Structure formats: structure tokens, C-alpha cells
């Protein structure tokens, strides 16, 4: 079987470099790649030019600067993620009324589900939120039993369950009451994601955000431009 063209090999090498974490590993990978090229390419002028190009790539100051910048960003993101994980980010957890105020006021973004343990629609909402919490790490996802939290249930004027309230640094910025704007009991998780994106309480992961920017163009975001029409449902449960 014929060897793959060098262009394909170079493309594979460029893709591999995107995931490398240290400058030392970059140099080692380049040396390994050069050795592989020597083994596979004919020893002629063309092969020599290819090796010179690899040497230039290894010494390229702009490439090294981009690599160092990427490493610094990844380290900062990893540290931030570890700190958030210690505070419960990435999970969907039930908290008590006594913990509610501290969590909401000391966290940048929170989605809180006020629920009743016997309401079927609250259980459906639980399933979707548990799935979303793993994806949107910058937002804390919590649930509070409405019957066990009478003070905040009254203060927040919660009359229908399930009820999701979005908080930014302790300030309520929006809510989803019942299944309004979501559909019937079998609505897909993506519909709830869109609703939370419209409330600006979750942020798209970096890769999805880049893909969306390419599709929508600069400064555009189709999902955030959605407008939701409030609908009444006799299947949502009033809470007194």
C-alpha cells in the first residue's frame, strides 16, 4: 500500500499539536515526526525541503507564543473548574432552605428548581436538569423542596410547580413556571437548554460557541434571539 501523501501527514501532525500540553512534548513530537518522515520519504531534495520546513516550524516564535498562550489559558480554566467542582458545579443537588441564601448570593449563576417530591412534572424537570448540569459547568444547578422552604417560596411568589428561577449573584433574573414554553411532558432537553440560554443563565461550551459563531456570523446568536410565548397548562400543579 502506498504511503499517504506528505500533506496528509502534515495535517495529522498539525491536528495533534492542538492537544499538546507542554513545550517539551511539542519538541519531542516534532523530532518523532521528522524521524518518521526520514523513514518513509525518499532521500531526495523534496524530502530535504520538508525537513527544513519542520525545523522552521519548531523555531517559529509566533507558533511558540500561541502555544504558551493556549497552555496558560488551559491551566487557568482547569484551576477555575477545580474550584467550581468543589462548590458543586457540574452536579444537580438538593439543598436545604438554610443553605439557599449563601449559595445563591455567593455564586455567579444559579438555576434553582423549587419542587414538590410528589409532583410528576417536578420529576421530569429533575431529569432534564441533571443532564444539563454536567454540560454547563459555569452555572450551579440546585433544587429546593418548596414545602420545606416556606419562607423563600412566599418571598419569591412561587405559586406553581415546578418553578425554575435563574439567579445572577443573588438577583433573580428570570424564571420558568411549570412547563410554559417547553411543551408537553415529553419535551426534549434541548428545549429547556434554549430557554435557559434565552435567560442568559447558561453559557455555551467554548467549542459549541465557536461553531455557532461560524454558522451565525459575527455578533449573532440564533438561540439567544428566540422569543418564547407564555402558555398556560392545566397539568402544572398549583402550590399553596
Amino acid at each position: 500500500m502506498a504511503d499517504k501523501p506528505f500533506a496528509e501527514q502534515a495535517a495529522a501532525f498539525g491536528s495533534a499539536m492542538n492537544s499538546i500540553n507542554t513545550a517539551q512534548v511539542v519538541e519531542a513530537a516534532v523530532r518523532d515526526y521528522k524521524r518518521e518522515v526520514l523513514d518513509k520519504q525518499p532521500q531526495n531534495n523534496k524530502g530535504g525541503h520538508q525537513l527544513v520546513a519542520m525545523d522552521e516550524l519548531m523555531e517559529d516564535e509566533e507558533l511558540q507564543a500561541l502555544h504558551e498562550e493556549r497552555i496558560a489559558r488551559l491551566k487557568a480554566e482547569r484551576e477555575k473548574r477545580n474550584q467550581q467542582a468543589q462548590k458543586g458545579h457540574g452536579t444537580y443537588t438538593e439543598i436545604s432552605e438554610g443553605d439557599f441564601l449563601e449559595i445563591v448570593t455567593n455564586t455567579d449563576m444559579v438555576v434553582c428548581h423549587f419542587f414538590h417530591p410528589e409532583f410528576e412534572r417536578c420529576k421530569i424537570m429533575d431529569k432534564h436538569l441533571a443532564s444539563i448540569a454536567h454540560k454547563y459547568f459555569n452555572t450551579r444547578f440546585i433544587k429546593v423542596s418548596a414545602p420545606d422552604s416556606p419562607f423563600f417560596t412566599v418571598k419569591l411568589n412561587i405559586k406553581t410547580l415546578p418553578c425554575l428561577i435563574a439567579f445572577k449573584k443573588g438577583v433573580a433574573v428570570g424564571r420558568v413556571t411549570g412547563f410554559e414554553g417547553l411543551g408537553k411532558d415529553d419535551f426534549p432537553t434541548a428545549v429547556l437548554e434554549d430557554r435557559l440560554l434565552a435567560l442568559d443563565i447558561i453559557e455555551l461550551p467554548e467549542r459549541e460557541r465557536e461553531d455557532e459563531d461560524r454558522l451565525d456570523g459575527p455578533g449573532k446568536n440564533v438561540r439567544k434571539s428566540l422569543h418564547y410565548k407564555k402558555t398556560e397548562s392545566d397539568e402544572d400543579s398549583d402550590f399553596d
Side-chain angles (χ1 to χ4, degrees):
M1 180 182 294
D3 290 332
K4 292 183 178 179
F6 179 75
E8 292 184 22
Q9 297 175 358
F13 172 77
S15 175
M17 285 191 66
N18 288 331
S19 62
I20 293 176
N21 290 330
T22 64
Q24 291 84 355
V25 177
V26 171
E27 294 175 0
V30 171
R31 286 194 299 270
D32 291 343
Y33 182 77
K34 289 167 63 176
R35 190 177 300 112
E36 181 181 351
V37 171
L38 277 173
D39 292 340
K40 293 187 176 182
Q41 295 293 335
Q43 299 300 316
N44 52 30
N45 289 337
K46 182 178 179 181
H49 290 316
Q50 291 166 347
L51 292 180
V52 169
M54 293 306 302
D55 289 334
E56 293 174 355
L57 178 63
M58 198 171 167
E59 298 171 1
D60 189 291
E61 294 182 1
E62 183 177 357
L63 178 62
Q64 290 296 327
L66 288 172
H67 174 69
E68 291 172 3
E69 180 183 345
R70 175 176 172 80
I71 295 305
R73 187 172 69 250
L74 289 174
K75 288 179 64 177
E77 290 176 354
R78 184 164 56 248
E79 291 174 2
K80 178 182 177 182
R81 190 177 180 91
N82 289 338
Q83 293 173 357
Q84 289 176 326
Q86 293 175 3
K87 296 178 180 179
H89 288 249
T91 63
Y92 175 53
T93 53
E94 181 175 351
I95 65 167
S96 66
E97 185 177 46
D99 294 329
F100 174 79
L101 197 59
E102 181 181 356
I103 291 174
V104 168
T105 56
N106 291 302
T107 309
D108 289 341
M109 297 189 293
V110 177
V111 172
C112 182
H113 174 204
F114 285 86
F115 75 100
H116 193 294
E118 297 179 3
F119 291 177
E120 191 61 34
R121 281 200 159 189
C122 291
K123 296 176 183 178
I124 294 173
M125 189 67 77
D126 281 340
K127 178 189 68 174
H128 293 296
L129 291 173
S131 174
I132 292 173
H134 295 293
K135 182 176 180 181
Y136 298 96
F137 208 84
N138 286 334
T139 301
R140 179 86 187 268
F141 288 83
I142 58 176
K143 58 187 290 190
V144 175
S145 171
D148 298 327
S149 308
F151 179 79
F152 290 112
T153 299
V154 172
K155 285 292 185 181
L156 294 168
N157 196 30
I158 297 170
K159 298 183 180 299
T160 302
L161 300 178
C163 180
L164 304 186
I165 301 184
F167 295 92
K168 285 191 172 182
K169 297 183 177 179
V171 178
V173 296
R175 67 175 62 197
V176 178
T177 302
F179 280 12
E180 63 180 19
L182 300 177
K184 298 182 179 180
D185 289 2
D186 59 349
F187 71 87
T189 301
V191 174
L192 180 57
E193 288 183 64
D194 285 340
R195 189 68 184 276
L196 296 177
L197 281 166
L199 293 176
D200 199 29
I201 197 61
I202 58 174
E203 300 173 345
L204 284 174
E206 183 176 350
R207 182 173 298 177
E208 287 192 24
R209 188 162 58 245
E210 291 174 352
D211 292 342
E212 193 167 89
D213 288 341
R214 285 195 292 271
L215 290 172
D216 301 338
K220 296 181 180 179
N221 191 318
V222 170
R223 300 180 82 172
K224 286 188 179 180
S225 68
L226 295 175
H227 296 282
Y228 295 91
K229 188 179 296 183
K230 289 187 177 181
T231 60
E232 297 295 334
S233 171
D234 57 5
E235 294 185 27
D236 296 322
S237 301
D238 290 336
F239 178 75
D240 297 320

